[in-house]
Amino acid sequence: QKEVEQNSGPLSVPEGAIASLNCTYSDRGSQSFFWYRQYSGKSPELIMFIYSNGDKEDGRFTAQLNKASQYVSLLIRDSQPSDSATYLCAVNDSGATNKLIFGTGTLLAVQP
Amino acid sequence: DGGITQSPKYLFRKEGQNVTLSCEQNLNHDAMYWYRQDPGQGLRLIYYSQIVNDFQKGDIAEGYSVSREKKESFPLTVTSAQKNPTAFYLCASSPDRTASPLHFGNGTRLTVT
């Protein structure tokens, strides 16, 4: 069974701090990695995607990928209370075309 | 505006009744998906379709059925055979057949009593 693991949290950080969210995956063949943000009662929205080892930055968000360690992370700089949400990590299933495997998500709480 | 429309937002049914959830997209995406989300759990794939008139079972297809007669539409029927149908159902689409970001609809919250 292919899995994506995340710490469920809550991860509590003060406003203005860096929030670090982590994800490990079991499918060594995975090539595509995604971070989604989901507010309570709402649908997930895509924040970042990364395909290559290293860092990818977009505004206050940085995705980091280490395929050798099967590890992907999301850093949120200058965290705001509006960033408080559940963050879902998803990776592609290398054995099935166009299928993603989702983690259970990490709840982030940014304290004002 | 392009997007994915799920209807209704909330749906209530009695146990033993079949119910169909609607999903329509105008993004011209080839692939469409149905996920189920339960409290404290991640998204679990029910069915997906990469092209019209073709679809594949996901990880939890039992008790569900789908059709893909048009590129824009991918309705999900929750049958009476589904043991625990109460959940948040999410429809998604993606632009091509390779692993690419999913775009989600707003979801349908189904309650069966």
Side-chain angles (χ1 to χ4, degrees), chain A residues 32 34 36 38 41-44 46 51 88 92 96-100 102-104, chain B residues 31 33 35 37 42 45 48 50 59 88 90 94 96-99 101-102 104-105:
Chain A
S32 306
F34 308 93
Y36 288 84
Q38 186 176 25
K42 304 295 186 183
S43 62
L46 181 70
Y51 301 138
L88 303 172
N92 77 292
T97 303
N98 227 8
K99 179 183 173 186
L100 297 187
F102 282 84
T104 54
Chain B
Y33 308 78
Y35 286 89
Q37 188 174 37
L45 183 62
Y48 62 112
Q50 298 177 59
D59 301 315
F88 187 43
L90 289 158
S94 67
D96 56 37
R97 298 183 190 186
T98 57
L102 300 185
F104 286 90

PDB file of all heavy atoms in Angstrom, chain A residues 32 34 36 38 41-44 46 51 88 92 96-100 102-104, chain B residues 31 33 35 37 42 45 48 50 59 88 90 94 96-99 101-102 104-105:
ATOM      1  N   SER A  32       5.941  13.665  -9.051  1.00  0.00           N
ATOM      2  CA  SER A  32       5.218  14.938  -8.933  1.00  0.00           C
ATOM      3  C   SER A  32       4.701  15.084  -7.518  1.00  0.00           C
ATOM      4  O   SER A  32       4.125  14.144  -6.967  1.00  0.00           O
ATOM      5  CB  SER A  32       4.047  14.966  -9.925  1.00  0.00           C
ATOM      6  OG  SER A  32       4.479  14.704 -11.234  1.00  0.00           O
ATOM      7  N   PHE A  34       2.773  17.775  -4.594  1.00  0.00           N
ATOM      8  CA  PHE A  34       1.865  18.911  -4.509  1.00  0.00           C
ATOM      9  C   PHE A  34       1.542  19.237  -3.057  1.00  0.00           C
ATOM     10  O   PHE A  34       1.453  18.354  -2.219  1.00  0.00           O
ATOM     11  CB  PHE A  34       0.551  18.592  -5.245  1.00  0.00           C
ATOM     12  CG  PHE A  34       0.748  18.100  -6.651  1.00  0.00           C
ATOM     13  CD1 PHE A  34       0.837  16.740  -6.919  1.00  0.00           C
ATOM     14  CD2 PHE A  34       0.846  18.991  -7.705  1.00  0.00           C
ATOM     15  CE1 PHE A  34       1.027  16.282  -8.210  1.00  0.00           C
ATOM     16  CE2 PHE A  34       1.031  18.543  -9.000  1.00  0.00           C
ATOM     17  CZ  PHE A  34       1.127  17.181  -9.250  1.00  0.00           C
ATOM     18  N   TYR A  36      -1.493  21.295  -0.974  1.00  0.00           N
ATOM     19  CA  TYR A  36      -2.797  21.930  -1.016  1.00  0.00           C
ATOM     20  C   TYR A  36      -3.121  22.505   0.367  1.00  0.00           C
ATOM     21  O   TYR A  36      -2.749  21.936   1.383  1.00  0.00           O
ATOM     22  CB  TYR A  36      -3.895  20.920  -1.379  1.00  0.00           C
ATOM     23  CG  TYR A  36      -3.882  20.468  -2.820  1.00  0.00           C
ATOM     24  CD1 TYR A  36      -3.046  19.433  -3.243  1.00  0.00           C
ATOM     25  CD2 TYR A  36      -4.710  21.077  -3.763  1.00  0.00           C
ATOM     26  CE1 TYR A  36      -3.034  19.029  -4.567  1.00  0.00           C
ATOM     27  CE2 TYR A  36      -4.713  20.672  -5.085  1.00  0.00           C
ATOM     28  CZ  TYR A  36      -3.873  19.652  -5.481  1.00  0.00           C
ATOM     29  OH  TYR A  36      -3.862  19.239  -6.788  1.00  0.00           O
ATOM     30  N   GLN A  38      -6.358  23.579   2.802  1.00  0.00           N
ATOM     31  CA  GLN A  38      -7.789  23.345   2.940  1.00  0.00           C
ATOM     32  C   GLN A  38      -8.284  24.022   4.209  1.00  0.00           C
ATOM     33  O   GLN A  38      -7.913  23.633   5.319  1.00  0.00           O
ATOM     34  CB  GLN A  38      -8.103  21.837   2.975  1.00  0.00           C
ATOM     35  CG  GLN A  38      -9.588  21.549   2.971  1.00  0.00           C
ATOM     36  CD  GLN A  38      -9.901  20.060   2.899  1.00  0.00           C
ATOM     37  OE1 GLN A  38      -9.087  19.225   3.302  1.00  0.00           O
ATOM     38  NE2 GLN A  38     -11.075  19.716   2.387  1.00  0.00           N
ATOM     39  N   GLY A  41     -14.159  23.003   6.226  1.00  0.00           N
ATOM     40  CA  GLY A  41     -15.423  22.976   5.501  1.00  0.00           C
ATOM     41  C   GLY A  41     -15.322  23.335   4.032  1.00  0.00           C
ATOM     42  O   GLY A  41     -16.334  23.348   3.326  1.00  0.00           O
ATOM     43  N   LYS A  42     -14.117  23.620   3.558  1.00  0.00           N
ATOM     44  CA  LYS A  42     -13.922  24.020   2.155  1.00  0.00           C
ATOM     45  C   LYS A  42     -13.149  22.946   1.388  1.00  0.00           C
ATOM     46  O   LYS A  42     -12.669  21.979   1.959  1.00  0.00           O
ATOM     47  CB  LYS A  42     -13.158  25.352   2.093  1.00  0.00           C
ATOM     48  CG  LYS A  42     -13.815  26.481   2.858  1.00  0.00           C
ATOM     49  CD  LYS A  42     -15.139  26.864   2.253  1.00  0.00           C
ATOM     50  CE  LYS A  42     -15.729  28.085   2.940  1.00  0.00           C
ATOM     51  NZ  LYS A  42     -17.082  28.422   2.392  1.00  0.00           N
ATOM     52  N   SER A  43     -13.038  23.150   0.091  1.00  0.00           N
ATOM     53  CA  SER A  43     -12.293  22.204  -0.731  1.00  0.00           C
ATOM     54  C   SER A  43     -10.817  22.596  -0.777  1.00  0.00           C
ATOM     55  O   SER A  43     -10.454  23.752  -0.519  1.00  0.00           O
ATOM     56  CB  SER A  43     -12.891  22.165  -2.136  1.00  0.00           C
ATOM     57  OG  SER A  43     -12.795  23.420  -2.765  1.00  0.00           O
ATOM     58  N   PRO A  44      -9.944  21.652  -1.102  1.00  0.00           N
ATOM     59  CA  PRO A  44      -8.511  21.960  -1.172  1.00  0.00           C
ATOM     60  C   PRO A  44      -8.193  22.903  -2.326  1.00  0.00           C
ATOM     61  O   PRO A  44      -8.819  22.830  -3.388  1.00  0.00           O
ATOM     62  CB  PRO A  44      -7.869  20.587  -1.408  1.00  0.00           C
ATOM     63  CG  PRO A  44      -8.894  19.593  -0.981  1.00  0.00           C
ATOM     64  CD  PRO A  44     -10.200  20.219  -1.284  1.00  0.00           C
ATOM     65  N   LEU A  46      -4.734  24.399  -4.526  1.00  0.00           N
ATOM     66  CA  LEU A  46      -3.327  24.160  -4.799  1.00  0.00           C
ATOM     67  C   LEU A  46      -2.486  25.364  -4.395  1.00  0.00           C
ATOM     68  O   LEU A  46      -2.805  26.498  -4.745  1.00  0.00           O
ATOM     69  CB  LEU A  46      -3.128  23.881  -6.287  1.00  0.00           C
ATOM     70  CG  LEU A  46      -1.702  23.594  -6.734  1.00  0.00           C
ATOM     71  CD1 LEU A  46      -1.255  22.236  -6.211  1.00  0.00           C
ATOM     72  CD2 LEU A  46      -1.609  23.636  -8.255  1.00  0.00           C
ATOM     73  N   TYR A  51       8.638  19.272  -8.962  1.00  0.00           N
ATOM     74  CA  TYR A  51       8.953  18.050  -9.690  1.00  0.00           C
ATOM     75  C   TYR A  51      10.426  17.656  -9.571  1.00  0.00           C
ATOM     76  O   TYR A  51      10.778  16.500  -9.794  1.00  0.00           O
ATOM     77  CB  TYR A  51       8.620  18.216 -11.181  1.00  0.00           C
ATOM     78  CG  TYR A  51       7.175  18.536 -11.489  1.00  0.00           C
ATOM     79  CD1 TYR A  51       6.847  19.487 -12.447  1.00  0.00           C
ATOM     80  CD2 TYR A  51       6.140  17.882 -10.838  1.00  0.00           C
ATOM     81  CE1 TYR A  51       5.518  19.780 -12.733  1.00  0.00           C
ATOM     82  CE2 TYR A  51       4.812  18.170 -11.114  1.00  0.00           C
ATOM     83  CZ  TYR A  51       4.508  19.123 -12.070  1.00  0.00           C
ATOM     84  OH  TYR A  51       3.194  19.423 -12.349  1.00  0.00           O
ATOM     85  N   LEU A  88      -2.395  19.713   2.952  1.00  0.00           N
ATOM     86  CA  LEU A  88      -2.367  18.356   2.420  1.00  0.00           C
ATOM     87  C   LEU A  88      -1.196  18.189   1.466  1.00  0.00           C
ATOM     88  O   LEU A  88      -1.003  19.004   0.556  1.00  0.00           O
ATOM     89  CB  LEU A  88      -3.666  18.051   1.660  1.00  0.00           C
ATOM     90  CG  LEU A  88      -4.975  18.199   2.433  1.00  0.00           C
ATOM     91  CD1 LEU A  88      -6.161  18.042   1.479  1.00  0.00           C
ATOM     92  CD2 LEU A  88      -5.067  17.173   3.538  1.00  0.00           C
ATOM     93  N   ASN A  92       2.236  11.742  -6.845  1.00  0.00           N
ATOM     94  CA  ASN A  92       1.627  10.893  -7.882  1.00  0.00           C
ATOM     95  C   ASN A  92       1.961   9.436  -7.611  1.00  0.00           C
ATOM     96  O   ASN A  92       3.024   9.102  -7.097  1.00  0.00           O
ATOM     97  CB  ASN A  92       2.078  11.314  -9.272  1.00  0.00           C
ATOM     98  CG  ASN A  92       3.478  10.839  -9.594  1.00  0.00           C
ATOM     99  OD1 ASN A  92       4.456  11.300  -8.993  1.00  0.00           O
ATOM    100  ND2 ASN A  92       3.593   9.910 -10.526  1.00  0.00           N
ATOM    101  N   ALA A  96       0.114   4.181 -11.581  1.00  0.00           N
ATOM    102  CA  ALA A  96      -1.200   4.479 -12.161  1.00  0.00           C
ATOM    103  C   ALA A  96      -1.171   5.866 -12.781  1.00  0.00           C
ATOM    104  O   ALA A  96      -0.837   6.838 -12.116  1.00  0.00           O
ATOM    105  CB  ALA A  96      -2.283   4.411 -11.089  1.00  0.00           C
ATOM    106  N   THR A  97      -1.517   5.950 -14.062  1.00  0.00           N
ATOM    107  CA  THR A  97      -1.482   7.240 -14.742  1.00  0.00           C
ATOM    108  C   THR A  97      -2.433   8.228 -14.106  1.00  0.00           C
ATOM    109  O   THR A  97      -3.592   7.929 -13.868  1.00  0.00           O
ATOM    110  CB  THR A  97      -1.871   7.055 -16.220  1.00  0.00           C
ATOM    111  OG1 THR A  97      -0.985   6.115 -16.805  1.00  0.00           O
ATOM    112  CG2 THR A  97      -1.779   8.368 -16.969  1.00  0.00           C
ATOM    113  N   ASN A  98      -1.915   9.417 -13.809  1.00  0.00           N
ATOM    114  CA  ASN A  98      -2.754  10.523 -13.386  1.00  0.00           C
ATOM    115  C   ASN A  98      -3.514  10.266 -12.098  1.00  0.00           C
ATOM    116  O   ASN A  98      -4.657  10.666 -11.955  1.00  0.00           O
ATOM    117  CB  ASN A  98      -3.736  10.868 -14.508  1.00  0.00           C
ATOM    118  CG  ASN A  98      -3.788  12.360 -14.765  1.00  0.00           C
ATOM    119  OD1 ASN A  98      -2.988  13.102 -14.221  1.00  0.00           O
ATOM    120  ND2 ASN A  98      -4.723  12.782 -15.574  1.00  0.00           N
ATOM    121  N   LYS A  99      -2.891   9.604 -11.160  1.00  0.00           N
ATOM    122  CA  LYS A  99      -3.519   9.333  -9.874  1.00  0.00           C
ATOM    123  C   LYS A  99      -2.635   9.891  -8.772  1.00  0.00           C
ATOM    124  O   LYS A  99      -1.431   9.666  -8.763  1.00  0.00           O
ATOM    125  CB  LYS A  99      -3.710   7.829  -9.692  1.00  0.00           C
ATOM    126  CG  LYS A  99      -4.346   7.435  -8.370  1.00  0.00           C
ATOM    127  CD  LYS A  99      -4.436   5.921  -8.258  1.00  0.00           C
ATOM    128  CE  LYS A  99      -4.913   5.504  -6.876  1.00  0.00           C
ATOM    129  NZ  LYS A  99      -4.875   4.040  -6.687  1.00  0.00           N
ATOM    130  N   LEU A 100      -3.247  10.624  -7.840  1.00  0.00           N
ATOM    131  CA  LEU A 100      -2.513  11.184  -6.714  1.00  0.00           C
ATOM    132  C   LEU A 100      -2.860  10.443  -5.432  1.00  0.00           C
ATOM    133  O   LEU A 100      -3.977   9.964  -5.249  1.00  0.00           O
ATOM    134  CB  LEU A 100      -2.842  12.663  -6.526  1.00  0.00           C
ATOM    135  CG  LEU A 100      -2.472  13.635  -7.641  1.00  0.00           C
ATOM    136  CD1 LEU A 100      -2.734  15.072  -7.194  1.00  0.00           C
ATOM    137  CD2 LEU A 100      -1.029  13.465  -8.076  1.00  0.00           C
ATOM    138  N   PHE A 102      -2.928  11.136  -1.368  1.00  0.00           N
ATOM    139  CA  PHE A 102      -2.939  12.253  -0.425  1.00  0.00           C
ATOM    140  C   PHE A 102      -2.579  11.793   0.984  1.00  0.00           C
ATOM    141  O   PHE A 102      -2.962  10.696   1.414  1.00  0.00           O
ATOM    142  CB  PHE A 102      -4.331  12.896  -0.376  1.00  0.00           C
ATOM    143  CG  PHE A 102      -4.635  13.791  -1.538  1.00  0.00           C
ATOM    144  CD1 PHE A 102      -5.103  13.273  -2.731  1.00  0.00           C
ATOM    145  CD2 PHE A 102      -4.465  15.160  -1.430  1.00  0.00           C
ATOM    146  CE1 PHE A 102      -5.373  14.106  -3.810  1.00  0.00           C
ATOM    147  CE2 PHE A 102      -4.750  15.996  -2.496  1.00  0.00           C
ATOM    148  CZ  PHE A 102      -5.200  15.470  -3.689  1.00  0.00           C
ATOM    149  N   GLY A 103      -1.866  12.653   1.707  1.00  0.00           N
ATOM    150  CA  GLY A 103      -1.690  12.467   3.126  1.00  0.00           C
ATOM    151  C   GLY A 103      -2.925  12.949   3.866  1.00  0.00           C
ATOM    152  O   GLY A 103      -3.842  13.532   3.273  1.00  0.00           O
ATOM    153  N   THR A 104      -2.944  12.717   5.175  1.00  0.00           N
ATOM    154  CA  THR A 104      -4.111  13.102   5.971  1.00  0.00           C
ATOM    155  C   THR A 104      -4.107  14.577   6.351  1.00  0.00           C
ATOM    156  O   THR A 104      -5.089  15.089   6.859  1.00  0.00           O
ATOM    157  CB  THR A 104      -4.218  12.255   7.245  1.00  0.00           C
ATOM    158  OG1 THR A 104      -2.988  12.354   7.948  1.00  0.00           O
ATOM    159  CG2 THR A 104      -4.487  10.795   6.910  1.00  0.00           C
TER     160      THR A 104
ATOM    161  N   ALA B  31      -9.129  14.779 -17.647  1.00  0.00           N
ATOM    162  CA  ALA B  31      -9.274  13.855 -16.527  1.00  0.00           C
ATOM    163  C   ALA B  31     -10.184  14.431 -15.444  1.00  0.00           C
ATOM    164  O   ALA B  31     -10.136  15.620 -15.142  1.00  0.00           O
ATOM    165  CB  ALA B  31      -7.901  13.535 -15.927  1.00  0.00           C
ATOM    166  N   TYR B  33     -12.126  13.325 -11.470  1.00  0.00           N
ATOM    167  CA  TYR B  33     -11.939  12.459 -10.306  1.00  0.00           C
ATOM    168  C   TYR B  33     -13.058  12.681  -9.296  1.00  0.00           C
ATOM    169  O   TYR B  33     -13.597  13.783  -9.178  1.00  0.00           O
ATOM    170  CB  TYR B  33     -10.622  12.786  -9.585  1.00  0.00           C
ATOM    171  CG  TYR B  33      -9.413  12.810 -10.452  1.00  0.00           C
ATOM    172  CD1 TYR B  33      -9.143  13.894 -11.274  1.00  0.00           C
ATOM    173  CD2 TYR B  33      -8.519  11.741 -10.451  1.00  0.00           C
ATOM    174  CE1 TYR B  33      -8.022  13.922 -12.075  1.00  0.00           C
ATOM    175  CE2 TYR B  33      -7.389  11.760 -11.248  1.00  0.00           C
ATOM    176  CZ  TYR B  33      -7.145  12.853 -12.056  1.00  0.00           C
ATOM    177  OH  TYR B  33      -6.032  12.868 -12.850  1.00  0.00           O
ATOM    178  N   TYR B  35     -13.351  12.123  -5.087  1.00  0.00           N
ATOM    179  CA  TYR B  35     -12.725  11.780  -3.823  1.00  0.00           C
ATOM    180  C   TYR B  35     -13.772  11.861  -2.723  1.00  0.00           C
ATOM    181  O   TYR B  35     -14.727  12.618  -2.793  1.00  0.00           O
ATOM    182  CB  TYR B  35     -11.601  12.745  -3.468  1.00  0.00           C
ATOM    183  CG  TYR B  35     -10.339  12.571  -4.262  1.00  0.00           C
ATOM    184  CD1 TYR B  35     -10.159  13.239  -5.464  1.00  0.00           C
ATOM    185  CD2 TYR B  35      -9.320  11.739  -3.809  1.00  0.00           C
ATOM    186  CE1 TYR B  35      -8.997  13.087  -6.200  1.00  0.00           C
ATOM    187  CE2 TYR B  35      -8.149  11.580  -4.534  1.00  0.00           C
ATOM    188  CZ  TYR B  35      -7.995  12.267  -5.729  1.00  0.00           C
ATOM    189  OH  TYR B  35      -6.845  12.096  -6.439  1.00  0.00           O
ATOM    190  N   GLN B  37     -13.883  12.494   1.552  1.00  0.00           N
ATOM    191  CA  GLN B  37     -13.114  12.919   2.710  1.00  0.00           C
ATOM    192  C   GLN B  37     -13.958  12.747   3.963  1.00  0.00           C
ATOM    193  O   GLN B  37     -15.080  13.255   4.041  1.00  0.00           O
ATOM    194  CB  GLN B  37     -12.665  14.376   2.568  1.00  0.00           C
ATOM    195  CG  GLN B  37     -11.689  14.814   3.656  1.00  0.00           C
ATOM    196  CD  GLN B  37     -11.155  16.210   3.419  1.00  0.00           C
ATOM    197  OE1 GLN B  37     -11.858  17.089   2.963  1.00  0.00           O
ATOM    198  NE2 GLN B  37      -9.875  16.408   3.738  1.00  0.00           N
ATOM    199  N   GLY B  42      -7.492  11.629   5.128  1.00  0.00           N
ATOM    200  CA  GLY B  42      -7.125  12.263   3.874  1.00  0.00           C
ATOM    201  C   GLY B  42      -8.161  12.008   2.804  1.00  0.00           C
ATOM    202  O   GLY B  42      -9.212  11.412   3.051  1.00  0.00           O
ATOM    203  N   LEU B  45      -9.612   8.148  -3.089  1.00  0.00           N
ATOM    204  CA  LEU B  45     -10.073   8.160  -4.465  1.00  0.00           C
ATOM    205  C   LEU B  45     -11.154   7.115  -4.682  1.00  0.00           C
ATOM    206  O   LEU B  45     -10.956   5.932  -4.388  1.00  0.00           O
ATOM    207  CB  LEU B  45      -8.894   7.905  -5.407  1.00  0.00           C
ATOM    208  CG  LEU B  45      -9.171   7.948  -6.892  1.00  0.00           C
ATOM    209  CD1 LEU B  45      -9.647   9.333  -7.322  1.00  0.00           C
ATOM    210  CD2 LEU B  45      -7.921   7.546  -7.667  1.00  0.00           C
ATOM    211  N   TYR B  48     -11.969   7.541 -11.167  1.00  0.00           N
ATOM    212  CA  TYR B  48     -11.426   8.582 -11.999  1.00  0.00           C
ATOM    213  C   TYR B  48     -11.580   8.212 -13.465  1.00  0.00           C
ATOM    214  O   TYR B  48     -11.730   7.034 -13.808  1.00  0.00           O
ATOM    215  CB  TYR B  48      -9.972   8.918 -11.639  1.00  0.00           C
ATOM    216  CG  TYR B  48      -8.958   7.818 -11.808  1.00  0.00           C
ATOM    217  CD1 TYR B  48      -7.970   7.910 -12.784  1.00  0.00           C
ATOM    218  CD2 TYR B  48      -8.940   6.722 -10.954  1.00  0.00           C
ATOM    219  CE1 TYR B  48      -7.009   6.933 -12.920  1.00  0.00           C
ATOM    220  CE2 TYR B  48      -7.987   5.735 -11.085  1.00  0.00           C
ATOM    221  CZ  TYR B  48      -7.014   5.843 -12.057  1.00  0.00           C
ATOM    222  OH  TYR B  48      -6.069   4.867 -12.192  1.00  0.00           O
ATOM    223  N   GLN B  50     -10.066   9.331 -17.413  1.00  0.00           N
ATOM    224  CA  GLN B  50      -9.067  10.085 -18.168  1.00  0.00           C
ATOM    225  C   GLN B  50      -9.586  10.514 -19.534  1.00  0.00           C
ATOM    226  O   GLN B  50      -8.969  11.346 -20.209  1.00  0.00           O
ATOM    227  CB  GLN B  50      -7.806   9.244 -18.338  1.00  0.00           C
ATOM    228  CG  GLN B  50      -7.165   8.887 -17.005  1.00  0.00           C
ATOM    229  CD  GLN B  50      -5.960   8.000 -17.168  1.00  0.00           C
ATOM    230  OE1 GLN B  50      -5.003   8.368 -17.822  1.00  0.00           O
ATOM    231  NE2 GLN B  50      -6.000   6.825 -16.578  1.00  0.00           N
ATOM    232  N   ASP B  59      -9.538   3.596  -4.969  1.00  0.00           N
ATOM    233  CA  ASP B  59      -9.251   2.739  -3.827  1.00  0.00           C
ATOM    234  C   ASP B  59     -10.498   2.296  -3.061  1.00  0.00           C
ATOM    235  O   ASP B  59     -10.468   1.304  -2.342  1.00  0.00           O
ATOM    236  CB  ASP B  59      -8.312   3.480  -2.866  1.00  0.00           C
ATOM    237  CG  ASP B  59      -7.005   3.865  -3.539  1.00  0.00           C
ATOM    238  OD1 ASP B  59      -6.436   3.004  -4.250  1.00  0.00           O
ATOM    239  OD2 ASP B  59      -6.569   5.014  -3.389  1.00  0.00           O
ATOM    240  N   PHE B  88     -17.907  14.039   2.964  1.00  0.00           N
ATOM    241  CA  PHE B  88     -17.712  15.212   2.108  1.00  0.00           C
ATOM    242  C   PHE B  88     -17.146  14.688   0.788  1.00  0.00           C
ATOM    243  O   PHE B  88     -16.092  14.045   0.778  1.00  0.00           O
ATOM    244  CB  PHE B  88     -16.742  16.168   2.802  1.00  0.00           C
ATOM    245  CG  PHE B  88     -16.558  17.493   2.130  1.00  0.00           C
ATOM    246  CD1 PHE B  88     -17.627  18.195   1.615  1.00  0.00           C
ATOM    247  CD2 PHE B  88     -15.302  18.066   2.049  1.00  0.00           C
ATOM    248  CE1 PHE B  88     -17.460  19.438   1.015  1.00  0.00           C
ATOM    249  CE2 PHE B  88     -15.114  19.313   1.453  1.00  0.00           C
ATOM    250  CZ  PHE B  88     -16.188  19.993   0.942  1.00  0.00           C
ATOM    251  N   LEU B  90     -15.699  15.280  -3.015  1.00  0.00           N
ATOM    252  CA  LEU B  90     -14.994  16.272  -3.812  1.00  0.00           C
ATOM    253  C   LEU B  90     -14.772  15.773  -5.226  1.00  0.00           C
ATOM    254  O   LEU B  90     -14.274  14.669  -5.433  1.00  0.00           O
ATOM    255  CB  LEU B  90     -13.644  16.594  -3.166  1.00  0.00           C
ATOM    256  CG  LEU B  90     -13.716  17.397  -1.866  1.00  0.00           C
ATOM    257  CD1 LEU B  90     -12.455  17.210  -1.048  1.00  0.00           C
ATOM    258  CD2 LEU B  90     -13.938  18.866  -2.174  1.00  0.00           C
ATOM    259  N   SER B  94      -8.150  17.552 -14.014  1.00  0.00           N
ATOM    260  CA  SER B  94      -6.782  17.947 -14.371  1.00  0.00           C
ATOM    261  C   SER B  94      -6.672  17.977 -15.882  1.00  0.00           C
ATOM    262  O   SER B  94      -7.414  17.286 -16.585  1.00  0.00           O
ATOM    263  CB  SER B  94      -5.743  17.030 -13.744  1.00  0.00           C
ATOM    264  OG  SER B  94      -5.815  15.731 -14.274  1.00  0.00           O
ATOM    265  N   ASP B  96      -4.461  17.017 -18.272  1.00  0.00           N
ATOM    266  CA  ASP B  96      -3.984  15.995 -19.204  1.00  0.00           C
ATOM    267  C   ASP B  96      -3.783  14.679 -18.486  1.00  0.00           C
ATOM    268  O   ASP B  96      -4.149  14.541 -17.337  1.00  0.00           O
ATOM    269  CB  ASP B  96      -2.693  16.444 -19.889  1.00  0.00           C
ATOM    270  CG  ASP B  96      -1.613  16.802 -18.878  1.00  0.00           C
ATOM    271  OD1 ASP B  96      -1.531  16.109 -17.844  1.00  0.00           O
ATOM    272  OD2 ASP B  96      -0.899  17.766 -19.118  1.00  0.00           O
ATOM    273  N   ARG B  97      -3.230  13.725 -19.166  1.00  0.00           N
ATOM    274  CA  ARG B  97      -3.181  12.376 -18.616  1.00  0.00           C
ATOM    275  C   ARG B  97      -1.963  12.142 -17.738  1.00  0.00           C
ATOM    276  O   ARG B  97      -1.896  11.165 -17.036  1.00  0.00           O
ATOM    277  CB  ARG B  97      -3.178  11.349 -19.750  1.00  0.00           C
ATOM    278  CG  ARG B  97      -4.430  11.425 -20.578  1.00  0.00           C
ATOM    279  CD  ARG B  97      -4.437  10.350 -21.635  1.00  0.00           C
ATOM    280  NE  ARG B  97      -5.521  10.578 -22.579  1.00  0.00           N
ATOM    281  CZ  ARG B  97      -5.841   9.746 -23.547  1.00  0.00           C
ATOM    282  NH1 ARG B  97      -5.163   8.641 -23.707  1.00  0.00           N
ATOM    283  NH2 ARG B  97      -6.834  10.015 -24.356  1.00  0.00           N
ATOM    284  N   THR B  98      -0.988  13.032 -17.779  1.00  0.00           N
ATOM    285  CA  THR B  98       0.159  12.869 -16.883  1.00  0.00           C
ATOM    286  C   THR B  98      -0.163  13.489 -15.531  1.00  0.00           C
ATOM    287  O   THR B  98      -1.118  14.240 -15.405  1.00  0.00           O
ATOM    288  CB  THR B  98       1.403  13.558 -17.475  1.00  0.00           C
ATOM    289  OG1 THR B  98       1.097  14.937 -17.694  1.00  0.00           O
ATOM    290  CG2 THR B  98       1.799  12.905 -18.781  1.00  0.00           C
ATOM    291  N   ALA B  99       0.615  13.149 -14.549  1.00  0.00           N
ATOM    292  CA  ALA B  99       0.356  13.646 -13.196  1.00  0.00           C
ATOM    293  C   ALA B  99       0.485  15.158 -13.192  1.00  0.00           C
ATOM    294  O   ALA B  99       1.551  15.705 -13.407  1.00  0.00           O
ATOM    295  CB  ALA B  99       1.334  13.019 -12.217  1.00  0.00           C
ATOM    296  N   PRO B 101      -1.438  18.996 -11.476  1.00  0.00           N
ATOM    297  CA  PRO B 101      -2.236  19.462 -10.339  1.00  0.00           C
ATOM    298  C   PRO B 101      -3.728  19.253 -10.564  1.00  0.00           C
ATOM    299  O   PRO B 101      -4.242  19.415 -11.672  1.00  0.00           O
ATOM    300  CB  PRO B 101      -1.903  20.956 -10.261  1.00  0.00           C
ATOM    301  CG  PRO B 101      -0.583  21.090 -10.914  1.00  0.00           C
ATOM    302  CD  PRO B 101      -0.565  20.060 -11.999  1.00  0.00           C
ATOM    303  N   LEU B 102      -4.410  18.884  -9.502  1.00  0.00           N
ATOM    304  CA  LEU B 102      -5.856  18.760  -9.540  1.00  0.00           C
ATOM    305  C   LEU B 102      -6.503  20.083  -9.169  1.00  0.00           C
ATOM    306  O   LEU B 102      -6.016  20.795  -8.300  1.00  0.00           O
ATOM    307  CB  LEU B 102      -6.331  17.693  -8.560  1.00  0.00           C
ATOM    308  CG  LEU B 102      -5.818  16.271  -8.751  1.00  0.00           C
ATOM    309  CD1 LEU B 102      -6.493  15.346  -7.750  1.00  0.00           C
ATOM    310  CD2 LEU B 102      -6.055  15.796 -10.159  1.00  0.00           C
ATOM    311  N   PHE B 104     -10.100  21.451  -7.737  1.00  0.00           N
ATOM    312  CA  PHE B 104     -11.247  20.893  -7.032  1.00  0.00           C
ATOM    313  C   PHE B 104     -12.486  21.766  -7.157  1.00  0.00           C
ATOM    314  O   PHE B 104     -12.400  23.000  -7.221  1.00  0.00           O
ATOM    315  CB  PHE B 104     -10.927  20.725  -5.542  1.00  0.00           C
ATOM    316  CG  PHE B 104     -10.013  19.576  -5.249  1.00  0.00           C
ATOM    317  CD1 PHE B 104      -8.642  19.745  -5.238  1.00  0.00           C
ATOM    318  CD2 PHE B 104     -10.528  18.313  -4.979  1.00  0.00           C
ATOM    319  CE1 PHE B 104      -7.793  18.688  -4.970  1.00  0.00           C
ATOM    320  CE2 PHE B 104      -9.695  17.242  -4.701  1.00  0.00           C
ATOM    321  CZ  PHE B 104      -8.322  17.432  -4.702  1.00  0.00           C
ATOM    322  N   GLY B 105     -13.647  21.106  -7.149  1.00  0.00           N
ATOM    323  CA  GLY B 105     -14.901  21.806  -6.973  1.00  0.00           C
ATOM    324  C   GLY B 105     -15.095  22.137  -5.502  1.00  0.00           C
ATOM    325  O   GLY B 105     -14.244  21.829  -4.662  1.00  0.00           O
TER     326      GLY B 105
END
